[in-house]
Amino acid sequence: MAANENERFDQFAAVLSTELLERTKKSMELLAPELQPCSILPFIQTPSFVEFYQELVRVGILPVVLSRRPVRAIVGDVDWAREGREYLLTVLDDRSNAIFTAWEYAWDSLWDERKVGQDSGGGGNQVKPKKGFFSALFSRKREEKTDNGGGEGGEGGVMAGLHTMLTELAEKRGFLPLFHDDVRILKALPRLKPGRVAQAWKEISQYHHQEFYLPEPEQAKPGVTSDCLQKWHYNLPDKIGEFLVLKAAVDLEHVNKAFIGKYIRQSARTQEEAEKGMPYLSIYWKSMRNTAPVAERHTL
């Protein structure tokens, strides 16, 4: 009986891992520009990050998710090898399901620097990553603390959180450093259905074509591309819409610096508001080559 339960749990773990990894990878691939950007991109739009993210989830996030009692309770008597994915999708469609709750808990638990020690794991709700988890993933040397001699995993030691580690990794991997609240993006990724991202990009591309490339009698009215970008910018989860606008700035010919500058001005009342609400788009806009006539140039 116990052997059967363990086998069923292993099958559940495999189905869950495959679904979450494929779903999040597909969404990130859809957000990544196809053409060469004029400056470095946010982490989520960079192929090197996508590759690293997969390993990070396998080693650091999924073990925490699978250790949570409400997640383990989902295993039940389902034949996961045969009908597991179909059943899992019904679970994931519930916005308050235990898997997403555990997923968010795992990211929050690992995001910030925290004290770790031999007595820090007392209690079933404490997350205890495998020894050497961060150093193995990030090739980071353990730093001994001169005041107490503790290192990672040692008594009184300090373990750097994922935010610190990913920010340090950014320069090596060629993506922008992460903002502290970017954990919200990472936590929301499995809730984002790739089909919705694909639908958004298809619609944006179609309006761009209709506005700028069709013969005049068939052309869409000016501004429909911007309107479509606005629609998806504010109807997709946090920051996903902003990344799609940035993708358009790279891949769509007429979404140039003048276009993005106007888009930002229409979406925010001040430069401060723009940089706070659309930080990655604002950073990229500043690096774009200005092809508009001098008289039409603007600043935020």
Side-chain angles (χ1 to χ4, degrees):
M1 182 65 176
N4 290 339
E5 289 177 356
N6 289 336
E7 183 180 356
R8 193 160 57 244
F9 178 79
D10 290 342
Q11 291 171 347
F12 161 73
V15 171
L16 177 62
S17 174
T18 298
E19 179 62 28
L20 291 180
L21 288 172
E22 288 186 355
R23 182 182 294 208
T24 51
K25 181 180 181 182
K26 184 63 175 175
S27 292
M28 287 190 281
E29 288 174 344
L30 288 167
L31 290 169
E34 295 182 6
L35 301 181
Q36 184 67 36
C38 63
S39 68
I40 58 176
L41 295 171
F43 60 102
I44 205 168
Q45 295 181 290
T46 308
S48 64
F49 179 83
V50 176
E51 175 188 339
F52 174 82
Y53 170 88
Q54 297 285 296
E55 187 62 19
L56 172 59
V57 169
R58 284 191 197 97
V59 177
I61 302 299
L62 282 173
V64 179
V65 172
L66 292 167
S67 72
R68 305 293 285 173
R69 189 174 300 171
V71 174
R72 298 178 75 92
I74 294 171
V75 177
D77 59 357
V78 177
D79 185 345
W80 290 96
R82 295 183 57 186
E83 56 193 36
R85 183 173 185 269
E86 288 73 17
Y87 180 75
L88 178 63
L89 292 179
T90 66
V91 174
L92 296 180
D93 280 340
D94 180 354
R95 300 293 294 179
S96 60
N97 71 79
I99 292 171
F100 287 159
T101 300
W103 170 272
E104 293 170 4
Y105 169 85
W107 282 103
D108 287 338
S109 299
L110 297 175
W111 193 245
D112 288 312
E113 286 191 345
R114 58 198 179 93
K115 287 278 186 178
V116 292
Q118 292 175 356
D119 60 347
S120 66
N125 291 332
Q126 283 294 114
V127 178
K128 296 200 297 182
K130 294 178 181 178
K131 187 176 182 181
F133 161 62
F134 285 119
S135 58
L137 270 182
F138 293 88
S139 299
R140 180 187 177 92
K141 293 181 179 179
R142 299 180 183 182
E143 297 180 0
E144 296 296 324
K145 297 294 176 181
T146 56
D147 56 344
N148 58 20
E152 179 187 359
E155 181 66 34
V158 175
M159 183 173 69
L162 282 178
H163 175 247
T164 298
M165 296 298 224
L166 288 172
T167 297
E168 290 179 2
L169 188 72
E171 185 176 353
K172 298 177 184 176
R173 292 291 185 112
F175 53 82
L176 290 171
L178 284 74
F179 295 100
H180 188 268
D181 64 358
D182 282 343
V183 68
R184 294 180 303 169
I185 304 168
L186 297 166
K187 291 194 298 185
L189 265 180
R191 296 182 184 268
L192 177 64
K193 294 185 177 180
R196 188 159 169 78
V197 182
Q199 177 191 354
W201 182 247
K202 180 180 179 180
E203 189 173 309
I204 292 165
S205 301
Q206 286 175 339
Y207 275 115
H208 178 260
H209 178 77
Q210 291 168 8
E211 181 176 356
F212 296 107
Y213 292 107
L214 289 181
E216 190 169 338
E218 303 171 38
Q219 270 185 354
K221 64 179 182 179
V224 295
T225 305
S226 182
D227 290 344
C228 186
L229 286 168
Q230 286 273 2
K231 167 190 168 181
W232 289 108
H233 190 161
Y234 295 104
N235 280 283
L236 287 169
D238 187 34
K239 294 287 181 253
I240 300 301
E242 179 183 343
F243 294 137
L244 272 183
V245 180
L246 204 159
K247 175 181 170 74
V250 179
D251 286 350
L252 301 183
E253 179 183 4
H254 293 276
V255 183
N256 53 25
K257 182 163 189 174
F259 183 107
I260 292 296
K262 183 178 180 180
Y263 180 90
I264 292 174
R265 290 194 305 277
Q266 291 175 337
S267 305
R269 291 167 295 182
T270 64
Q271 179 174 342
E272 182 181 2
E273 184 179 296
E275 292 181 352
K276 183 178 180 180
M278 296 172 282
Y280 287 120
L281 185 63
S282 298
I283 291 170
Y284 191 80
W285 174 80
K286 292 175 183 177
S287 70
M288 296 177 75
R289 184 169 61 91
N290 200 332
T291 56
V294 174
E296 296 184 16
R297 289 179 183 166
H298 300 276
T299 57
L300 285 177

